[in-house]
Amino acid sequence: MRRLKKPLLVTLSLFLVLVTALAGCGKSDNGNKPAPENTSQEQKDNKEPAETSSDKWVLGEKPLEFSAYAHYQNMDFPKWESTPIGKWLSEEKQVKINMIAAAGAHTQKLSAMMASDDLPDMIWTDRNHPDVDRLYQAGKLVPFDDYLDKYTNLKTWMGDLNLLRHEDGKLYRFPNWYSSNPYGNAGYVVNKKIYDELGKPKLETTDDLYDYLVKVKEKYGDSVVPFEPHRAQDMQGLGVLYTAFGEGALYTHLNSGLRAVPKDGKLTSLMTDPVFREAQKYIAKLYREKLISQDAFNQTEDQVQEKVMTGRVAVFAGASPTDFAGEAHAELIKQDPDGGYFMIWPIHKPGLDKNKIYPGTYTSFGWNAAYITTAAKDPEAIFAFLDWYTGPEGMNVQYFGPEGKNWKGFDEEGKPNFTENYDPEEVAKIQSENTPVMFVGNTSYIDPAKYKYMAQLPFEQQDWRTRYQQTITWPTQYNVTEFTGLNPPADSEEGIIQASIDELFLEIYAKSVMAGSDAEVDKVLDQGEKDLMSLGYDRLLEWRTAKWQENLEKMKNNK
């Protein structure tokens, strides 16, 4: 799931609070990781002099300025200096990033930049975005291989990078929120005030959820949305509901990069999958009874956030619902200490094992990635900066602020030493404001670092997001690294088929959600199967099956 964020996680979500901070972060046993070297000032004073700038780029030794572009619809990077990390790096380390905005016209913006050969120095987007594949095919991306042994944070914390490599065997992607351990924020958030007023009923099965949403509508009418699914055109909360109907049914099955269900070593059609069909009938029932946001397919992130922030949703689900809900919880309990939000264990169909239901997924490589283009005057400097940014010092400054106030130095495991002046509210604000520019997040490092502080607090005093990551979301996310890299080249026959499939699939999906009966859902999906196959869906499934099997073989050989 994309973290923006989240679910996204992650969202995003928003996500961001994406995507927002902590959306897409993961638990990691960091005991076998080396302690960061030459990072805190105290450590620097006791170390040998660093390599000179002629040998290695060193943060702050000389100015670094480059342009960056976020290739996500309805999302632009904020101005660099408007974020705490951007302001500090600009003033203290001579790092200035010029953010390029598209104002919603991202497809047109990147196409125009490609046509004029006026590319940004860095592009941040989905890990396998077809537009980036066009840049790769045109020779417009810079490989990182020559830098990996010189700037070692990515290599140290990511580990095996083989599945990230392109067809030529080189590495062009710098992953975001990578980890080998479970992380992610997908799941269900419940409005505590409404839940208490309705008598705290059991919320475990799909039957329980339906009965609860009916009660919400009966009591609150149109003033409260019973089930808020975030952005339905991105699957989001509706995708989370799908996972309730099958043990091992995954949100990733619905994503553009897969759009299939694994069965007996092959990737098979979603349209004929009985779990998908049952889920769509349940979702359609909720929709026609107005238990789901009726504008779910066209609402904006801001509209979703406003409803959550004001407590006008009873149940909120998505790729990273913790982003908005975590922020809203803090505000709502100021007005009513007994209000706010809490998370529940994933909903499951009666008769299924609740511990085999996974509302969210994660990969070792996270959600998105940063790419350096050949437009960059000094690509090594940009990579070196990204490597610092993803390392212990960079992650700590992004999360806890500059060294000195909230943290100082590192312990024997490489985690930050938090000071007596640690200010939770300040840290939360720093994280939230920095989230939109956390473009090479290191989940393996930062989550254990965050939890080091939280672990010493009583459960009720722990950060809302961290509390539920530890107890609900991380234990219920599923590793789908094996399904990475299943997008064919955009200009290949399979790539052209995928583009057509993606467009038609969303139309079929929306029609099935808005169907007037179970029979109509079946009719929509039956016709959808025929229409998708006429576009070459079967050929795309064959191509992806072959790539999937290649991934499995690589993973097997790397063990």
Side-chain angles (χ1 to χ4, degrees), residues 316-355:
F316 175 39
S320 191
T322 54
D323 297 338
F324 291 162
E327 184 180 359
H329 176 81
E331 292 302 315
L332 291 174
I333 61 174
K334 290 178 182 177
Q335 306 166 24
D336 181 358
D338 296 324
Y341 292 98
F342 66 96
M343 294 199 77
I344 59 173
W345 196 260
I347 296 292
H348 64 281
K349 175 186 170 183
L352 299 184
D353 184 342
K354 70 174 186 178
N355 295 312

mmCIF file of all heavy atoms in Angstrom, residues 316-355:
data_model
loop_
_atom_site.group_PDB
_atom_site.id
_atom_site.type_symbol
_atom_site.label_atom_id
_atom_site.label_comp_id
_atom_site.label_asym_id
_atom_site.label_seq_id
_atom_site.Cartn_x
_atom_site.Cartn_y
_atom_site.Cartn_z
ATOM 1 N N PHE A 316 -13.931 4.043 10.591
ATOM 2 C CA PHE A 316 -13.081 4.555 9.521
ATOM 3 C C PHE A 316 -12.051 3.485 9.188
ATOM 4 O O PHE A 316 -11.322 3.016 10.056
ATOM 5 C CB PHE A 316 -12.393 5.838 10.003
ATOM 6 C CG PHE A 316 -11.393 6.433 9.047
ATOM 7 C CD1 PHE A 316 -11.614 6.455 7.682
ATOM 8 C CD2 PHE A 316 -10.226 7.009 9.537
ATOM 9 C CE1 PHE A 316 -10.695 7.022 6.818
ATOM 10 C CE2 PHE A 316 -9.299 7.585 8.685
ATOM 11 C CZ PHE A 316 -9.526 7.596 7.320
ATOM 12 N N ALA A 317 -12.006 3.068 7.918
ATOM 13 C CA ALA A 317 -11.052 2.039 7.508
ATOM 14 C C ALA A 317 -10.273 2.523 6.303
ATOM 15 O O ALA A 317 -10.766 3.320 5.506
ATOM 16 C CB ALA A 317 -11.772 0.736 7.177
ATOM 17 N N GLY A 318 -9.054 2.027 6.174
ATOM 18 C CA GLY A 318 -8.251 2.429 5.034
ATOM 19 C C GLY A 318 -6.857 1.848 5.091
ATOM 20 O O GLY A 318 -6.520 1.066 5.991
ATOM 21 N N ALA A 319 -6.048 2.257 4.120
ATOM 22 C CA ALA A 319 -4.670 1.785 4.044
ATOM 23 C C ALA A 319 -3.842 2.321 5.194
ATOM 24 O O ALA A 319 -2.899 1.678 5.651
ATOM 25 C CB ALA A 319 -4.056 2.201 2.711
ATOM 26 N N SER A 320 -4.182 3.504 5.662
ATOM 27 C CA SER A 320 -3.473 4.092 6.796
ATOM 28 C C SER A 320 -4.404 5.035 7.553
ATOM 29 O O SER A 320 -4.175 6.244 7.625
ATOM 30 C CB SER A 320 -2.233 4.851 6.306
ATOM 31 O OG SER A 320 -1.408 5.220 7.388
ATOM 32 N N PRO A 321 -5.479 4.511 8.146
ATOM 33 C CA PRO A 321 -6.437 5.363 8.844
ATOM 34 C C PRO A 321 -5.844 6.020 10.081
ATOM 35 O O PRO A 321 -6.388 6.999 10.592
ATOM 36 C CB PRO A 321 -7.560 4.387 9.224
ATOM 37 C CG PRO A 321 -6.873 3.075 9.357
ATOM 38 C CD PRO A 321 -5.825 3.086 8.277
ATOM 39 N N THR A 322 -4.725 5.485 10.556
ATOM 40 C CA THR A 322 -4.077 6.061 11.742
ATOM 41 C C THR A 322 -3.568 7.466 11.485
ATOM 42 O O THR A 322 -3.380 8.234 12.423
ATOM 43 C CB THR A 322 -2.902 5.177 12.185
ATOM 44 O OG1 THR A 322 -2.019 4.982 11.078
ATOM 45 C CG2 THR A 322 -3.389 3.822 12.662
ATOM 46 N N ASP A 323 -3.324 7.808 10.222
ATOM 47 C CA ASP A 323 -2.813 9.137 9.909
ATOM 48 C C ASP A 323 -3.792 10.217 10.378
ATOM 49 O O ASP A 323 -3.459 11.069 11.197
ATOM 50 C CB ASP A 323 -2.565 9.270 8.409
ATOM 51 C CG ASP A 323 -1.491 8.312 7.922
ATOM 52 O OD1 ASP A 323 -0.680 7.874 8.745
ATOM 53 O OD2 ASP A 323 -1.482 7.999 6.724
ATOM 54 N N PHE A 324 -4.999 10.177 9.812
ATOM 55 C CA PHE A 324 -6.012 11.160 10.183
ATOM 56 C C PHE A 324 -6.521 10.916 11.601
ATOM 57 O O PHE A 324 -6.718 11.854 12.378
ATOM 58 C CB PHE A 324 -7.185 11.119 9.209
ATOM 59 C CG PHE A 324 -6.859 11.615 7.837
ATOM 60 C CD1 PHE A 324 -7.680 11.298 6.768
ATOM 61 C CD2 PHE A 324 -5.734 12.396 7.589
ATOM 62 C CE1 PHE A 324 -7.395 11.754 5.486
ATOM 63 C CE2 PHE A 324 -5.438 12.853 6.318
ATOM 64 C CZ PHE A 324 -6.266 12.523 5.261
ATOM 65 N N ALA A 325 -6.757 9.656 11.951
ATOM 66 C CA ALA A 325 -7.357 9.346 13.246
ATOM 67 C C ALA A 325 -6.423 9.690 14.398
ATOM 68 O O ALA A 325 -6.877 10.124 15.462
ATOM 69 C CB ALA A 325 -7.744 7.875 13.308
ATOM 70 N N GLY A 326 -5.116 9.484 14.206
ATOM 71 C CA GLY A 326 -4.179 9.824 15.272
ATOM 72 C C GLY A 326 -4.190 11.307 15.581
ATOM 73 O O GLY A 326 -4.176 11.727 16.745
ATOM 74 N N GLU A 327 -4.242 12.108 14.539
ATOM 75 C CA GLU A 327 -4.310 13.554 14.720
ATOM 76 C C GLU A 327 -5.652 13.964 15.309
ATOM 77 O O GLU A 327 -5.729 14.801 16.221
ATOM 78 C CB GLU A 327 -4.088 14.243 13.368
ATOM 79 C CG GLU A 327 -4.051 15.749 13.439
ATOM 80 C CD GLU A 327 -3.819 16.395 12.076
ATOM 81 O OE1 GLU A 327 -3.662 15.652 11.076
ATOM 82 O OE2 GLU A 327 -3.809 17.638 12.014
ATOM 83 N N ALA A 328 -6.728 13.351 14.793
ATOM 84 C CA ALA A 328 -8.069 13.692 15.278
ATOM 85 C C ALA A 328 -8.257 13.282 16.732
ATOM 86 O O ALA A 328 -8.894 14.007 17.517
ATOM 87 C CB ALA A 328 -9.118 13.007 14.401
ATOM 88 N N HIS A 329 -7.727 12.131 17.104
ATOM 89 C CA HIS A 329 -7.864 11.658 18.482
ATOM 90 C C HIS A 329 -7.319 12.688 19.465
ATOM 91 O O HIS A 329 -7.967 13.002 20.485
ATOM 92 C CB HIS A 329 -7.121 10.329 18.657
ATOM 93 C CG HIS A 329 -7.134 9.814 20.062
ATOM 94 N ND1 HIS A 329 -8.203 9.137 20.600
ATOM 95 C CD2 HIS A 329 -6.196 9.891 21.064
ATOM 96 C CE1 HIS A 329 -7.937 8.816 21.852
ATOM 97 N NE2 HIS A 329 -6.723 9.266 22.155
ATOM 98 N N ALA A 330 -6.141 13.222 19.167
ATOM 99 C CA ALA A 330 -5.519 14.199 20.062
ATOM 100 C C ALA A 330 -6.383 15.440 20.223
ATOM 101 O O ALA A 330 -6.487 16.010 21.322
ATOM 102 C CB ALA A 330 -4.136 14.571 19.533
ATOM 103 N N GLU A 331 -7.044 15.859 19.148
ATOM 104 C CA GLU A 331 -7.894 17.049 19.220
ATOM 105 C C GLU A 331 -9.220 16.769 19.927
ATOM 106 O O GLU A 331 -9.702 17.572 20.734
ATOM 107 C CB GLU A 331 -8.155 17.578 17.808
ATOM 108 C CG GLU A 331 -6.918 18.142 17.117
ATOM 109 C CD GLU A 331 -6.287 19.283 17.900
ATOM 110 O OE1 GLU A 331 -7.044 20.170 18.367
ATOM 111 O OE2 GLU A 331 -5.054 19.282 18.063
ATOM 112 N N LEU A 332 -9.812 15.611 19.619
ATOM 113 C CA LEU A 332 -11.127 15.300 20.181
ATOM 114 C C LEU A 332 -11.088 15.080 21.691
ATOM 115 O O LEU A 332 -12.022 15.448 22.403
ATOM 116 C CB LEU A 332 -11.717 14.070 19.486
ATOM 117 C CG LEU A 332 -12.118 14.268 18.016
ATOM 118 C CD1 LEU A 332 -12.547 12.946 17.399
ATOM 119 C CD2 LEU A 332 -13.241 15.303 17.899
ATOM 120 N N ILE A 333 -10.008 14.483 22.197
ATOM 121 C CA ILE A 333 -9.961 14.238 23.650
ATOM 122 C C ILE A 333 -9.696 15.523 24.433
ATOM 123 O O ILE A 333 -9.889 15.561 25.650
ATOM 124 C CB ILE A 333 -8.908 13.168 24.019
ATOM 125 C CG1 ILE A 333 -7.509 13.603 23.596
ATOM 126 C CG2 ILE A 333 -9.288 11.830 23.420
ATOM 127 C CD1 ILE A 333 -6.425 12.647 24.077
ATOM 128 N N LYS A 334 -9.279 16.579 23.735
ATOM 129 C CA LYS A 334 -9.159 17.875 24.402
ATOM 130 C C LYS A 334 -10.545 18.402 24.751
ATOM 131 O O LYS A 334 -10.739 19.039 25.783
ATOM 132 C CB LYS A 334 -8.435 18.881 23.497
ATOM 133 C CG LYS A 334 -6.959 18.601 23.289
ATOM 134 C CD LYS A 334 -6.351 19.630 22.340
ATOM 135 C CE LYS A 334 -4.877 19.340 22.068
ATOM 136 N NZ LYS A 334 -4.302 20.308 21.089
ATOM 137 N N GLN A 335 -11.514 18.104 23.868
ATOM 138 C CA GLN A 335 -12.889 18.544 24.095
ATOM 139 C C GLN A 335 -13.637 17.594 25.028
ATOM 140 O O GLN A 335 -14.479 18.015 25.809
ATOM 141 C CB GLN A 335 -13.625 18.616 22.753
ATOM 142 C CG GLN A 335 -12.921 19.469 21.701
ATOM 143 C CD GLN A 335 -13.487 19.246 20.312
ATOM 144 O OE1 GLN A 335 -14.629 18.828 20.143
ATOM 145 N NE2 GLN A 335 -12.685 19.525 19.289
ATOM 146 N N ASP A 336 -13.313 16.297 24.911
ATOM 147 C CA ASP A 336 -13.981 15.278 25.715
ATOM 148 C C ASP A 336 -12.983 14.160 26.003
ATOM 149 O O ASP A 336 -12.664 13.366 25.118
ATOM 150 C CB ASP A 336 -15.185 14.711 24.957
ATOM 151 C CG ASP A 336 -15.938 13.645 25.755
ATOM 152 O OD1 ASP A 336 -15.492 13.325 26.880
ATOM 153 O OD2 ASP A 336 -16.956 13.134 25.250
ATOM 154 N N PRO A 337 -12.470 14.088 27.223
ATOM 155 C CA PRO A 337 -11.458 13.075 27.575
ATOM 156 C C PRO A 337 -11.916 11.646 27.301
ATOM 157 O O PRO A 337 -11.089 10.749 27.142
ATOM 158 C CB PRO A 337 -11.236 13.297 29.076
ATOM 159 C CG PRO A 337 -11.645 14.711 29.310
ATOM 160 C CD PRO A 337 -12.778 14.964 28.364
ATOM 161 N N ASP A 338 -13.233 11.418 27.234
ATOM 162 C CA ASP A 338 -13.765 10.080 26.974
ATOM 163 C C ASP A 338 -14.055 9.846 25.495
ATOM 164 O O ASP A 338 -14.615 8.815 25.123
ATOM 165 C CB ASP A 338 -15.052 9.862 27.783
ATOM 166 C CG ASP A 338 -14.788 9.881 29.285
ATOM 167 O OD1 ASP A 338 -13.732 9.387 29.699
ATOM 168 O OD2 ASP A 338 -15.641 10.397 30.023
ATOM 169 N N GLY A 339 -13.693 10.816 24.662
ATOM 170 C CA GLY A 339 -13.950 10.690 23.236
ATOM 171 C C GLY A 339 -12.742 10.154 22.489
ATOM 172 O O GLY A 339 -11.959 9.368 23.007
ATOM 173 N N GLY A 340 -12.603 10.597 21.237
ATOM 174 C CA GLY A 340 -11.474 10.159 20.430
ATOM 175 C C GLY A 340 -11.752 8.886 19.655
ATOM 176 O O GLY A 340 -12.909 8.516 19.403
ATOM 177 N N TYR A 341 -10.686 8.183 19.286
ATOM 178 C CA TYR A 341 -10.792 6.973 18.474
ATOM 179 C C TYR A 341 -9.971 5.842 19.079
ATOM 180 O O TYR A 341 -9.031 6.071 19.831
ATOM 181 C CB TYR A 341 -10.276 7.231 17.051
ATOM 182 C CG TYR A 341 -11.131 8.166 16.227
ATOM 183 C CD1 TYR A 341 -10.802 9.524 16.099
ATOM 184 C CD2 TYR A 341 -12.272 7.706 15.575
ATOM 185 C CE1 TYR A 341 -11.578 10.383 15.329
ATOM 186 C CE2 TYR A 341 -13.055 8.553 14.805
ATOM 187 C CZ TYR A 341 -12.706 9.896 14.693
ATOM 188 O OH TYR A 341 -13.485 10.733 13.934
ATOM 189 N N PHE A 342 -10.337 4.620 18.721
ATOM 190 C CA PHE A 342 -9.521 3.466 19.074
ATOM 191 C C PHE A 342 -9.561 2.487 17.901
ATOM 192 O O PHE A 342 -10.410 2.591 17.016
ATOM 193 C CB PHE A 342 -10.021 2.795 20.362
ATOM 194 C CG PHE A 342 -11.390 2.161 20.276
ATOM 195 C CD1 PHE A 342 -11.538 0.809 20.012
ATOM 196 C CD2 PHE A 342 -12.536 2.933 20.477
ATOM 197 C CE1 PHE A 342 -12.798 0.224 19.941
ATOM 198 C CE2 PHE A 342 -13.803 2.358 20.419
ATOM 199 C CZ PHE A 342 -13.936 0.999 20.146
ATOM 200 N N MET A 343 -8.620 1.544 17.880
ATOM 201 C CA MET A 343 -8.581 0.557 16.808
ATOM 202 C C MET A 343 -9.077 -0.787 17.305
ATOM 203 O O MET A 343 -8.977 -1.094 18.504
ATOM 204 C CB MET A 343 -7.164 0.414 16.249
ATOM 205 C CG MET A 343 -6.659 1.655 15.537
ATOM 206 S SD MET A 343 -5.247 1.319 14.430
ATOM 207 C CE MET A 343 -6.080 0.562 13.021
ATOM 208 N N ILE A 344 -9.614 -1.572 16.395
ATOM 209 C CA ILE A 344 -10.094 -2.910 16.726
ATOM 210 C C ILE A 344 -9.329 -3.951 15.911
ATOM 211 O O ILE A 344 -8.762 -3.640 14.859
ATOM 212 C CB ILE A 344 -11.608 -3.065 16.465
ATOM 213 C CG1 ILE A 344 -11.930 -2.785 14.977
ATOM 214 C CG2 ILE A 344 -12.407 -2.159 17.383
ATOM 215 C CD1 ILE A 344 -13.370 -3.083 14.591
ATOM 216 N N TRP A 345 -9.323 -5.181 16.398
ATOM 217 C CA TRP A 345 -8.740 -6.283 15.638
ATOM 218 C C TRP A 345 -9.511 -6.429 14.327
ATOM 219 O O TRP A 345 -10.735 -6.199 14.297
ATOM 220 C CB TRP A 345 -8.812 -7.569 16.456
ATOM 221 C CG TRP A 345 -7.916 -8.648 15.936
ATOM 222 C CD1 TRP A 345 -8.266 -9.711 15.165
ATOM 223 C CD2 TRP A 345 -6.506 -8.750 16.128
ATOM 224 N NE1 TRP A 345 -7.161 -10.473 14.867
ATOM 225 C CE2 TRP A 345 -6.066 -9.909 15.450
ATOM 226 C CE3 TRP A 345 -5.556 -7.975 16.811
ATOM 227 C CZ2 TRP A 345 -4.727 -10.320 15.430
ATOM 228 C CZ3 TRP A 345 -4.231 -8.369 16.796
ATOM 229 C CH2 TRP A 345 -3.826 -9.529 16.114
ATOM 230 N N PRO A 346 -8.849 -6.758 13.223
ATOM 231 C CA PRO A 346 -9.531 -6.815 11.928
ATOM 232 C C PRO A 346 -10.818 -7.641 11.935
ATOM 233 O O PRO A 346 -10.880 -8.730 12.503
ATOM 234 C CB PRO A 346 -8.482 -7.458 11.019
ATOM 235 C CG PRO A 346 -7.180 -7.071 11.636
ATOM 236 C CD PRO A 346 -7.415 -7.069 13.112
ATOM 237 N N ILE A 347 -11.818 -7.088 11.289
ATOM 238 C CA ILE A 347 -13.109 -7.754 11.126
ATOM 239 C C ILE A 347 -12.943 -9.011 10.263
ATOM 240 O O ILE A 347 -12.163 -9.029 9.307
ATOM 241 C CB ILE A 347 -14.113 -6.793 10.448
ATOM 242 C CG1 ILE A 347 -14.393 -5.580 11.354
ATOM 243 C CG2 ILE A 347 -15.400 -7.512 10.078
ATOM 244 C CD1 ILE A 347 -15.157 -5.896 12.611
ATOM 245 N N HIS A 348 -13.685 -10.064 10.605
ATOM 246 C CA HIS A 348 -13.621 -11.292 9.809
ATOM 247 C C HIS A 348 -15.020 -11.872 9.616
ATOM 248 O O HIS A 348 -15.916 -11.675 10.431
ATOM 249 C CB HIS A 348 -12.724 -12.342 10.481
ATOM 250 C CG HIS A 348 -13.241 -12.814 11.807
ATOM 251 N ND1 HIS A 348 -13.084 -12.084 12.973
ATOM 252 C CD2 HIS A 348 -13.927 -13.944 12.161
ATOM 253 C CE1 HIS A 348 -13.631 -12.742 13.980
ATOM 254 N NE2 HIS A 348 -14.165 -13.866 13.511
ATOM 255 N N LYS A 349 -15.180 -12.583 8.531
ATOM 256 C CA LYS A 349 -16.430 -13.283 8.266
ATOM 257 C C LYS A 349 -16.594 -14.384 9.318
ATOM 258 O O LYS A 349 -15.616 -15.038 9.699
ATOM 259 C CB LYS A 349 -16.378 -13.899 6.869
ATOM 260 C CG LYS A 349 -17.564 -14.766 6.508
ATOM 261 C CD LYS A 349 -17.338 -15.453 5.161
ATOM 262 C CE LYS A 349 -18.389 -16.516 4.898
ATOM 263 N NZ LYS A 349 -18.143 -17.234 3.630
ATOM 264 N N PRO A 350 -17.828 -14.596 9.827
ATOM 265 C CA PRO A 350 -18.038 -15.661 10.814
ATOM 266 C C PRO A 350 -17.514 -17.003 10.310
ATOM 267 O O PRO A 350 -17.711 -17.368 9.147
ATOM 268 C CB PRO A 350 -19.564 -15.690 10.976
ATOM 269 C CG PRO A 350 -20.003 -14.306 10.630
ATOM 270 C CD PRO A 350 -19.073 -13.852 9.545
ATOM 271 N N GLY A 351 -16.809 -17.714 11.183
ATOM 272 C CA GLY A 351 -16.289 -19.017 10.824
ATOM 273 C C GLY A 351 -14.841 -19.010 10.387
ATOM 274 O O GLY A 351 -14.190 -20.058 10.346
ATOM 275 N N LEU A 352 -14.305 -17.825 10.065
ATOM 276 C CA LEU A 352 -12.900 -17.729 9.662
ATOM 277 C C LEU A 352 -12.015 -17.507 10.884
ATOM 278 O O LEU A 352 -12.471 -17.018 11.925
ATOM 279 C CB LEU A 352 -12.699 -16.592 8.662
ATOM 280 C CG LEU A 352 -13.463 -16.690 7.338
ATOM 281 C CD1 LEU A 352 -13.073 -15.521 6.427
ATOM 282 C CD2 LEU A 352 -13.187 -18.016 6.638
ATOM 283 N N ASP A 353 -10.745 -17.851 10.748
ATOM 284 C CA ASP A 353 -9.772 -17.640 11.811
ATOM 285 C C ASP A 353 -9.365 -16.168 11.809
ATOM 286 O O ASP A 353 -8.775 -15.674 10.845
ATOM 287 C CB ASP A 353 -8.546 -18.525 11.564
ATOM 288 C CG ASP A 353 -7.520 -18.440 12.687
ATOM 289 O OD1 ASP A 353 -7.565 -17.482 13.485
ATOM 290 O OD2 ASP A 353 -6.639 -19.331 12.746
ATOM 291 N N LYS A 354 -9.681 -15.453 12.879
ATOM 292 C CA LYS A 354 -9.407 -14.015 12.927
ATOM 293 C C LYS A 354 -7.916 -13.707 12.823
ATOM 294 O O LYS A 354 -7.527 -12.591 12.448
ATOM 295 C CB LYS A 354 -9.970 -13.409 14.213
ATOM 296 C CG LYS A 354 -9.229 -13.813 15.475
ATOM 297 C CD LYS A 354 -9.755 -13.055 16.684
ATOM 298 C CE LYS A 354 -8.927 -13.352 17.938
ATOM 299 N NZ LYS A 354 -9.396 -12.575 19.106
ATOM 300 N N ASN A 355 -7.075 -14.670 13.140
ATOM 301 C CA ASN A 355 -5.636 -14.452 13.081
ATOM 302 C C ASN A 355 -5.049 -14.706 11.696
ATOM 303 O O ASN A 355 -3.838 -14.611 11.509
ATOM 304 C CB ASN A 355 -4.930 -15.343 14.112
ATOM 305 C CG ASN A 355 -5.292 -14.968 15.529
ATOM 306 O OD1 ASN A 355 -5.265 -13.800 15.896
ATOM 307 N ND2 ASN A 355 -5.660 -15.952 16.330
#
